[in-house]
Amino acid sequence: DVAPSYLKGSASSSLSSSLSSSSPRQQHEEEGEEEEEEPVAVIAHAISLIKCSKGPSVTGFLDAAAILRHSIHKNSIHYRPPRNNNTTSSATATSTERVTTVIKASPPSRYSYQMYAIVHPSCEQHAEVLQRLGYEIMVRDHPVKKEDIKGEWLRNHIESENCCGSAEFIKLYAYHLTNHPIAVHWDMDVAILHPLDDLYDVMIFPPSDPRNAAARGRIERQHPEEKWPEAVDAFLTRDATSAMPWEERTAVQGGFLVARPDVAVFDAYINFIKEGNYIGGRGDGTGWAGLGYGGFQGAMAYQGVVAYFYDQLRPNTAVELNVCRWNQVAADVLWRGPQRKNEHHLQCREHPRTSLPNGQPDYASNTRCEDCRNTPVASVKTAHYTACKKPWECKVAHPRVPRDKRQSYRLENLVNVTYCMELVREWFVLRREFEEALEVASEGKAKPASRTGGYEDGYFLGYCHREGGYVAMEPPPDGFDVKRIYGM
């Protein structure tokens, strides 16, 4: 067997030295290349395993944890690209086919990483598999329970919030990772397609440093006309696809948060959540402190508390990134009703950023928003598989038929199916790379799936036999050390 070129570090059968000692700047000594540079910093990358009641869903998420880690590694200092950056070749001698990807090579990363899994006690049985994938395990119960909340309305309703009620607050433990200058919390249905170095440079280097200034110039923000904060403590995206044009407050999209770890920040979250100053309903006068953070998906939980925290408790410390490139869910960002359809039809879902002379929002000009359903895949930094379906569900992102027929027009335009499937294909390319690397590193003990599924195989690459017929990966063998793949 021959290891993929981006995993080769020596001629030995073990890959243990290949990725710990290799970076985008290092090649084989016989090629006369320069030695590896020290990373600028080690970034914490965290996931949370919160609910584990459905077996097939858990299987998919555990596969996703492997693919997420693989995509993070590919965009770290430890990755050495193959000679042909637009293909991935098979790791086995019996398979010579090549799988193309539209993702172009980026400037090499200068940052290392460490993986963490924040695991709810109900999911602890899966911790061992995550540990074999290189995640450091943090078993944590939810830091705020229903009975801890003073506010009656929130106490009586928090457990009905999607997806996980108060248990979702375990995501906040990412702020405890203070051994690292930056922590990134991800949902597991995500793939990283390009390095995040520009975000890190802004947070690590002072504003006077040329590296900070250069990074600010490259970062695509949702509102580039706005002044940058002097110091940036977080990068986030908003849940534009659930916003309504007439609502000033918008949820944070909870699949992605880049933040500066700080136990005091964690404590500040916990204090206001326990206080429970939350008013039921949606729109003005609802939600956290009655400031409009109510009613949208996740309002009582993570998506609402992060939005409220950075908008109200720590204003001018977080930067909102371009939602079509960062944490890209690839869904429609235009309002199509059914509420107020005649009044706001085809306006951007985001609240207008400009006002009329009388101080009222300028809705008429609120139409200039990028169509995320057609943003070139090659320019997407991170993909979040929500509207486009989770890859392991083996579903084509056709619009569902709603019970409320008034929603049909909106759902028919929710996604560009072809575009979604191109994003899904990138996830399966990553899966294929990981399986082939695992086979080599385990000396054949872990075999890749046969890839004989014929369902939409141009996108699912043979891993789906039918809708819902996902072929799960074989987990790493007992006792397998993932350092044999990644060297770390």
Side-chain angles (χ1 to χ4, degrees):
D1 288 344
V2 179
S5 58
Y6 61 87
L7 295 176
K8 290 180 181 177
S10 70
S12 68
S13 60
S14 171
L15 299 179
S16 61
S17 63
S18 64
L19 296 186
S20 60
S21 60
S22 63
S23 79
R25 298 166 180 80
Q26 182 191 23
Q27 299 291 335
H28 299 297
E29 290 183 6
E30 60 267 26
E31 294 176 355
E33 298 292 339
E34 59 189 290
E35 294 184 358
E36 179 183 6
E37 295 181 8
E38 288 294 316
V40 174
V42 179
I43 306 301
H45 291 267
I47 62 172
S48 293
L49 201 58
I50 303 171
K51 291 182 70 175
C52 301
S53 57
K54 296 179 181 179
S57 178
V58 171
T59 299
F61 271 108
L62 291 175
D63 283 10
I67 277 62
L68 174 63
R69 192 258 164 97
H70 186 67
S71 72
I72 289 169
H73 184 90
K74 286 190 68 174
N75 290 287
S76 76
I77 195 171
H78 305 287
Y79 172 66
R80 182 172 65 252
R83 290 182 177 85
N84 184 340
N85 290 327
N86 296 326
T87 63
T88 176
S89 59
S90 173
T92 65
T94 57
S95 176
T96 58
E97 61 183 309
R98 301 177 74 84
V99 177
T100 59
T101 171
V102 301
I103 305 302
K104 306 299 182 184
S106 301
S109 176
R110 302 172 354 266
Y111 288 87
S112 184
Y113 69 97
Q114 172 63 51
M115 303 302 300
Y116 293 88
I118 305 167
V119 179
H120 190 270
S122 66
C123 299
E124 197 169 356
Q125 71 270 28
H126 301 292
E128 193 271 337
V129 175
L130 291 173
Q131 198 165 32
R132 275 190 273 160
L133 292 171
Y135 287 80
E136 185 172 320
I137 306 301
M138 302 164 58
V139 179
R140 299 289 186 273
D141 204 350
H142 28 325
V144 179
K145 296 185 179 180
K146 175 182 174 180
E147 56 269 25
D148 299 328
I149 298 171
K150 295 179 182 178
E152 181 179 3
W153 199 95
L154 184 65
R155 184 173 65 248
N156 292 338
H157 292 84
I158 181 64
E159 302 306 346
S160 65
E161 183 62 271
N162 288 340
C163 67
C164 317
S166 62
E168 192 178 21
F169 293 133
I170 70 171
K171 292 180 177 182
L172 297 173
Y173 280 111
Y175 286 99
H176 274 211
L177 298 172
T178 54
N179 288 338
H180 303 271
I182 297 170
V184 189
H185 191 281
W186 303 96
D187 279 357
M188 280 189 280
D189 53 348
V190 168
I192 292 80
L193 305 179
H194 293 283
L196 279 64
D197 286 34
D198 285 339
L199 308 186
Y200 306 152
D201 285 352
V202 167
M203 295 180 71
I204 285 177
F205 297 111
S208 58
D209 191 295
R211 289 166 291 189
N212 182 309
R216 291 184 186 222
R218 289 188 295 266
I219 292 171
E220 293 172 288
R221 295 181 292 157
Q222 187 71 1
H223 304 291
E225 73 283 357
E226 293 184 352
K227 184 180 178 181
W228 276 86
E230 179 69 14
V232 176
D233 289 335
F235 286 99
L236 50 81
T237 62
R238 301 281 178 171
D239 191 10
T241 57
S242 69
M244 298 180 178
W246 58 92
E247 292 181 351
E248 190 172 355
R249 310 300 186 196
T250 305
V252 161
Q253 217 299 331
F256 165 82
L257 178 66
V258 183
R260 198 180 304 281
D262 187 338
V263 174
V265 168
F266 174 87
D267 291 342
Y269 275 106
I270 301 308
N271 289 339
F272 83 75
I273 295 169
K274 286 184 175 180
E275 193 64 32
N277 182 9
Y278 188 100
I279 299 172
R282 178 160 186 163
D284 293 344
T286 72
W288 296 101
L291 294 177
Y293 297 90
F296 47 72
Q297 181 162 317
M300 290 182 280
Y302 188 74
Q303 299 204 151
V305 300
V306 175
Y308 173 71
F309 180 82
Y310 285 112
D311 288 351
Q312 304 298 329
L313 302 186
R314 297 291 190 279
N316 302 315
T317 63
V319 170
E320 184 180 348
L321 296 169
N322 181 300
V323 74
C324 297
R325 287 164 173 75
W326 301 91
N327 201 23
Q328 158 74 312
V329 301
D332 190 20
V333 295
L334 296 179
W335 183 251
R336 301 179 191 272
Q339 307 102 304
R340 305 194 189 184
K341 179 179 175 182
N342 293 335
E343 184 180 355
H344 295 286
H345 187 225
L346 299 185
Q347 292 176 4
C348 301
R349 282 179 167 269
E350 277 194 299
H351 189 72
R353 312 293 289 189
T354 57
S355 300
L356 299 171
N358 64 4
Q360 294 299 307
D362 185 7
Y363 291 113
S365 65
N366 189 31
T367 56
R368 296 185 293 272
C369 41
E370 181 177 352
D371 187 350
C372 296
R373 300 170 302 172
N374 296 303
T375 299
V377 172
S379 68
V380 174
K381 307 294 187 182
T382 70
H384 188 185
Y385 298 98
T386 56
C388 288
K389 310 298 183 187
K390 302 188 190 321
W392 55 91
E393 292 178 345
C394 294
K395 290 182 179 180
V396 177
H398 293 303
R400 62 181 175 85
V401 178
R403 292 181 180 178
D404 181 355
K405 299 305 180 185
R406 296 177 303 163
Q407 300 286 348
S408 296
Y409 170 61
R410 178 182 68 84
L411 292 173
E412 287 167 0
N413 290 278
L414 182 62
V415 298
N416 174 337
V417 174
T418 300
Y419 181 88
C420 274
M421 298 312 294
E422 290 173 356
L423 274 184
V424 166
R425 188 177 189 279
E426 294 299 329
W427 190 91
F428 280 103
V429 169
L430 290 166
R431 172 185 161 157
R432 180 167 173 172
E433 289 179 357
F434 174 78
E435 277 192 299
E436 292 169 344
L438 177 60
E439 181 187 22
V440 174
S442 68
E443 299 177 343
K445 293 178 181 177
K447 295 291 186 183
S450 61
R451 299 194 294 270
T452 58
Y455 181 61
E456 297 288 349
D457 57 349
Y459 299 114
F460 297 135
L461 303 187
Y463 293 110
C464 295
H465 291 293
R466 61 186 182 283
E467 182 175 306
Y470 177 69
V471 180
M473 291 196 303
E474 184 175 332
D478 290 342
F480 178 78
D481 188 348
V482 77
K483 289 181 181 179
R484 298 200 65 189
I485 301 177
Y486 298 120
M488 56 183 299

